[in-house]
Amino acid sequence: MSKITKEEGSQKVSRRQLVSNLVKATLGLAAGVAVVSASAGQVQAEASDTQQVQLPPPLSKQIPQDQLIFRMQRELYKALQKPIEQRQWAMVIDQRKCVGCSSCTVACKAENKLPPGVVYRPVIEEEYGTFPNVARRFLPRPCMHCTNSPCTKVCPVAATYKQQDGIVVIDYDKCIGCRYCISACPYGARTFDWGEYYTEGTPELEKYELEPAFEYGEKRARVKHNSPINNTRKCHFCLHRLNEGMLPMCVTTCIGRATYFGDKSDQDSLVSQLIGSSRVMRLKEELGTEPNVYYLV
């Protein structure tokens, strides 16, 4: 066995001592930081007891200007400050940005708890060009909320009508289910609620299908023989969300930011600027319906 000299032993002891001193110093520093943090937290807690935290208002300039979704939210708050007759809601859809993911369709069905066969915002696929130079484009098609709406003119009980802010709505309590408006709409934007369920015919009807919807700000449980069953249904720009200061669900869930919404009567709004684009078009303008949904092509 090799013997350890006194010099080597002293070196090892000094190394151990050095490591021990470093560990003690590190623990002491950590303890000091903890004490300082605890003291700062106590001061902050004492301050919070005497002073309430003020959150920035919705129109705060702290919201990033380069975020279109935040800009539309600010403009929505601005429009809601005006009387209803002084604002005109409009939607702009950029077909170059739409990727056909149908997230808007799914989100709309979830938000409005739509039953089988009822779709407010389908995404229509179209193939164009001549082989081999062909391509595909996507056309989200909500209700057009026409200024000169044919559906409101044919309703025999005035159940479908146009609000002062430009949104075409349906009064479920008045609707008799005649479906004249479905035939009159040139865009196919209306569907009929036949009272079906997704889990009907299975061992148990799922409870989520009986959950109430809040369209038009009304709490309506989905029960047989009660509205909106046996009524015509359509997109309403998520009116229940607008009245609470929220953008339509299809706008917030669009992954490509292809859908824009706002008050077109405000010349400084995003939708007003997009409507002035040379790329803008509207579906079936020759009919004179003057739809309030615009497309950028």
Side-chain angles (χ1 to χ4, degrees), residues 9 80 112 168 184 234:
L80 290 175
N112 296 292
V168 178
K234 59 177 282 297

Side-chain angles (χ1 to χ4, degrees), residues 131-279:
F131 182 83
N133 300 316
V134 295
R136 180 184 294 179
R137 60 188 169 203
F138 306 96
L139 182 75
R141 201 270 303 129
C143 172
M144 299 291 115
H145 296 279
C146 307
T147 301
N148 185 24
S149 51
C151 57
T152 59
K153 300 176 181 178
V154 300
C155 183
V157 292
T160 182
Y161 60 95
K162 192 174 187 65
Q163 292 191 156
Q164 292 178 304
D165 57 6
I167 298 180
V168 178
V169 299
I170 300 174
D171 187 336
Y172 289 146
D173 294 323
K174 288 185 177 181
C175 179
I176 59 176
C178 67
R179 288 163 284 174
Y180 288 166
C181 57
I182 296 180
S183 301
C185 178
Y187 303 102
R190 289 171 172 258
T191 52
F192 192 74
D193 189 341
W194 295 98
E196 298 176 346
Y197 298 92
Y198 290 102
T199 56
E200 194 170 15
T202 63
E204 182 180 0
L205 190 66
E206 292 294 337
K207 294 181 179 179
Y208 70 82
E209 296 209 64
L210 302 176
E211 290 292 324
F214 293 88
E215 292 182 276
Y216 306 109
E218 302 172 353
K219 184 178 180 181
R220 292 181 179 271
R222 187 166 176 76
V223 183
K224 290 286 187 180
H225 309 297
N226 287 348
S227 296
I229 293 177
N230 295 326
N231 291 148
T232 302
R233 303 182 66 174
K234 59 177 282 297
C235 157
H236 38 70
F237 279 165
C238 282
L239 185 60
H240 60 289
R241 290 174 59 91
L242 291 180
N243 291 336
E244 297 297 328
M246 295 183 288
L247 291 167
M249 182 59 75
C250 58
V251 177
T252 59
T253 56
C254 181
I255 65 172
R257 288 288 172 261
T259 305
Y260 310 97
F261 183 84
D263 178 17
K264 72 174 185 178
S265 65
D266 181 3
Q267 296 182 355
D268 297 326
S269 67
L270 178 60
V271 291
S272 292
Q273 295 175 4
L274 294 174
I275 289 173
S277 170
S278 58
R279 295 169 48 205

Side-chain angles (χ1 to χ4, degrees), residues 17 83 129 287 291:
Q17 189 65 32
L287 298 179

